[in-house]
Amino acid sequence: MITYQIVFEGTIISSATFDKADFTPEVLTCVDQSGTIDRVISATDSDYQSVKQAAIDNHVLQKIPEGSFLLPGFTDLHIHAPQWSQAGLALDKPLNEWLNTYTFPLEAKFKDLSFAKKVYQSLVKELLAHGTTTGLYFGSIHNDANLELAKVCAQLGQRAFIGKVAMDNPEQTPDYYRDDSSQVSLKETEKFIKALQELQNHTQAELTPVITPRFVPSCTDETLYGLGKLAQKYNLPIQSHCSESIWEDRYAQERFKKSDTQVLDQFGLLTDKAVMAHGTQLTDADFKLFRERKASLAHCPISNVYFGNSVMRVQDAHQKNINIGLGTDISGGFSPSIYRNMQQAVMSSQILKDNGNDNARITCANAFYLATIGGAKALHLNSGQIKPGFKADLQIVQDQYFDVFSNNASDIFERLVYHTNKENIKQVYVSGKLVHNSVGEDNGK
């Protein structure tokens, strides 16, 4: 019999399809020494008791208390790491003012490594405490600060995809915060790729460099072209913004006579490893190109209320076979919680429906799929589901109203989506390793 790293006993909730979440009581979720789920054993299976007893004997049984549930960890597909310390500030301002008065000056401060480390320690701890086991990060233009972010993620145990932000267009970026030239931008990007790969080899942490043009307006043609070539050379993920707002959408048309999507594709930046945030202005033709390139979308519903000028058509994109996940878009989105963004995704879809898109409504099950399976698929991760062969990225969540409200399975699921706060997330695991614990390390054992 396999000696497991940990065995969880209790009810699991995991997406089965876009429209359905499975609620499975009385199971053993067995995590092997590599941090992978080896088996999910039902109470009716013949070896349930023997596996449970072996786990008890080896002191690895983690009993999930009544009223708490084992869920997959979340993937956040869009985080501006250096913006964390302004989360919730100036969101009543126009985007241009928000960027130039608040955001760019803040990001420029990250050349100070002590400041960067302090902010990133706070951010990553907060994300883990909210159940986010994988983060896709925009860094700043500063390689040393970006490596600080990577070191913090390695130290705290979060899986991280991190990009050095490329921005060199003097017409759209301030002189105090941009790459000095296209050559510098591309050289520093490649330097960061190699440094992060070296750090990953040294720490054995789950760290991946990401090609990161801030967005089309912030980059010259030479930089966009060079970043596409670097993505191809190193076979790396790509992240950027795509048609986030009316202004960004029109900018691409005015500069290139093409849509934002077509411009990204032109420069080799729309690939099956690309994750493009927002997409509130995408047309059916843009969706078609996303589908053909197998690129993914990061839906950031809270941020889009402030800066997106519309709501991304999640149902339309899904029905056109485009993969979609969720992003907080810190700090265009004020909350580090994917739960809050699941809630907003459902609410915003109703607004889209009320404005004439009859197909727009999404459910809690749809939003949960985006937070788990959709995000993991975007990054080509075997994660986001509780089943054999998948990474043990998990969260133990307490239903704070279990003793008061209905205990019907579907009611519990929707209640968790709508009512879970950080205080209800008791433990979080990444690849089977405990990375957040609000109840004491010996809880339940």
Side-chain angles (χ1 to χ4, degrees):
M1 184 177 292
I2 296 175
T3 301
Y4 290 116
Q5 179 183 157
I6 191 167
V7 175
F8 298 95
E9 180 187 25
T11 300
I12 62 176
I13 302 175
S14 184
S15 274
T17 67
F18 183 70
D19 294 306
K20 182 176 182 291
D22 279 342
F23 183 100
T24 312
E26 292 189 82
V27 296
L28 298 176
T29 303
C30 306
V31 180
D32 67 20
Q33 298 297 328
S34 73
T36 301
I37 298 169
D38 179 64
R39 296 182 65 192
V40 178
I41 305 174
S42 170
T44 58
D45 290 345
S46 59
D47 60 347
Y48 182 92
Q49 289 300 333
S50 61
V51 172
K52 177 179 175 179
Q53 188 59 52
I56 293 171
D57 294 343
N58 290 312
H59 308 289
V60 297
L61 184 70
Q62 174 83 350
K63 186 172 177 59
I64 299 169
E66 184 181 26
S68 292
F69 303 90
L70 189 68
L71 277 62
F74 294 146
T75 296
D76 187 336
L77 287 181
H78 193 54
I79 310 163
H80 288 273
Q83 294 178 20
W84 170 233
S85 56
Q86 70 171 21
L89 300 183
L91 293 175
D92 58 333
K93 305 296 183 184
L95 178 59
N96 189 58
E97 182 180 345
W98 181 79
L99 285 171
N100 288 294
T101 305
Y102 301 92
T103 305
F104 289 151
L106 173 61
E107 291 192 19
K109 293 181 180 178
F110 280 75
K111 61 187 175 185
D112 179 344
L113 294 187
S114 62
F115 176 71
K117 184 174 182 178
K118 182 179 180 180
V119 172
Y120 291 154
Q121 283 275 353
S122 171
L123 170 62
V124 178
K125 286 180 180 178
E126 197 71 18
L127 289 168
L128 288 170
H130 280 91
T132 297
T133 49
T134 299
L136 176 57
Y137 290 101
F138 277 60
S140 64
I141 66 172
H142 315 101
N143 275 353
D144 288 344
N146 297 329
L147 289 171
E148 277 300 326
L149 172 60
K151 290 172 185 175
V152 169
C153 291
Q155 174 198 351
L156 297 178
Q158 188 185 55
R159 183 181 302 106
F161 293 72
I162 301 171
K164 174 248 181 290
V165 169
M167 44 190 292
D168 71 316
N169 181 3
E171 295 179 4
Q172 294 294 332
T173 54
D175 56 3
Y176 63 84
Y177 185 60
R178 66 167 173 252
D179 296 316
D180 290 337
S181 67
S182 178
Q183 291 83 358
V184 169
S185 186
L186 296 173
K187 180 181 177 181
E188 289 300 299
T189 296
E190 188 161 23
K191 183 179 176 182
F192 174 71
I193 292 167
K194 292 177 178 178
L196 188 59
Q197 289 176 335
E198 183 178 336
L199 180 64
Q200 191 277 328
N201 289 333
H202 175 71
T203 62
Q204 294 302 299
E206 298 184 67
L207 304 170
T208 303
V210 184
I211 299 298
T212 307
R214 189 177 196 105
F215 65 162
V216 166
S218 68
C219 296
T220 61
D221 292 15
E222 184 180 356
T223 295
L224 292 170
Y225 175 80
L227 292 172
K229 289 299 182 183
L230 285 174
Q232 182 180 41
K233 177 180 177 179
Y234 290 96
N235 190 28
L236 290 177
I238 303 162
Q239 63 179 342
S240 192
H241 304 76
C242 184
S243 294
E244 176 180 5
S245 63
I246 292 171
W247 174 81
E248 182 188 340
D249 204 53
R250 288 177 178 170
Y251 177 91
Q253 293 286 353
E254 291 170 2
R255 178 172 155 191
F256 293 97
K257 312 304 179 192
K258 295 180 178 181
S259 74
D260 222 11
T261 304
Q262 291 172 320
V263 174
L264 291 164
D265 186 55
Q266 169 186 331
F267 290 107
L269 295 167
L270 197 71
T271 72
D272 64 348
K273 287 193 168 188
V275 180
M276 296 297 162
H278 304 297
T280 63
Q281 310 298 316
L282 294 176
T283 65
D284 286 347
D286 294 327
F287 279 160
K288 182 174 184 290
L289 193 50
F290 264 85
R291 183 181 68 247
E292 289 172 354
R293 298 295 183 261
K294 299 180 180 178
S296 292
L297 285 165
H299 180 33
C300 306
I302 291 178
S303 172
N304 290 156
V305 170
Y306 297 106
F307 298 129
N309 304 131
S310 187
V311 179
M312 196 182 84
R313 295 182 291 144
V314 173
Q315 277 285 11
D316 286 350
H318 172 73
Q319 290 176 11
K320 290 175 169 61
N321 296 315
I322 298 165
N323 183 61
I324 312 156
L326 283 180
T328 57
D329 193 23
I330 291 168
S331 67
F334 61 83
S335 174
S337 170
I338 290 291
Y339 285 97
R340 290 292 298 272
N341 280 275
M342 284 195 287
Q343 297 156 17
Q344 187 63 53
V346 176
M347 290 187 285
S348 291
S349 75
Q350 181 61 50
I351 295 171
L352 197 58
K353 181 179 185 297
D354 291 344
N355 286 333
N357 187 330
D358 292 336
N359 187 45
R361 197 73 163 90
I362 70 170
T363 66
C364 285
N366 300 153
F368 188 63
Y369 177 96
L370 302 185
T372 55
I373 295 177
K377 284 179 65 177
L379 297 174
H380 298 266
L381 291 172
N382 233 21
S383 180
Q385 299 179 69
I386 303 178
K387 66 181 192 180
F390 281 66
K391 293 176 181 294
D393 298 344
L394 305 164
Q395 51 180 318
I396 296 175
V397 182
Q398 179 191 49
D399 175 5
Q400 59 185 306
Y401 300 119
F402 183 78
D403 293 330
V404 181
F405 292 180
S406 161
N407 284 333
N408 175 276
S410 62
D411 293 346
I412 290 172
F413 169 67
E414 292 196 3
R415 194 157 66 237
L416 290 176
V417 171
Y418 276 110
H419 290 288
T420 296
N421 297 310
K422 181 172 72 169
E423 294 75 21
N424 308 125
I425 302 169
K426 299 304 180 181
Q427 292 185 326
V428 179
Y429 295 80
V430 177
S431 291
K433 295 178 181 177
L434 182 65
V435 295
H436 170 74
N437 187 9
S438 65
V439 292
E441 294 185 2
D442 61 347
N443 178 67
K445 291 188 180 180

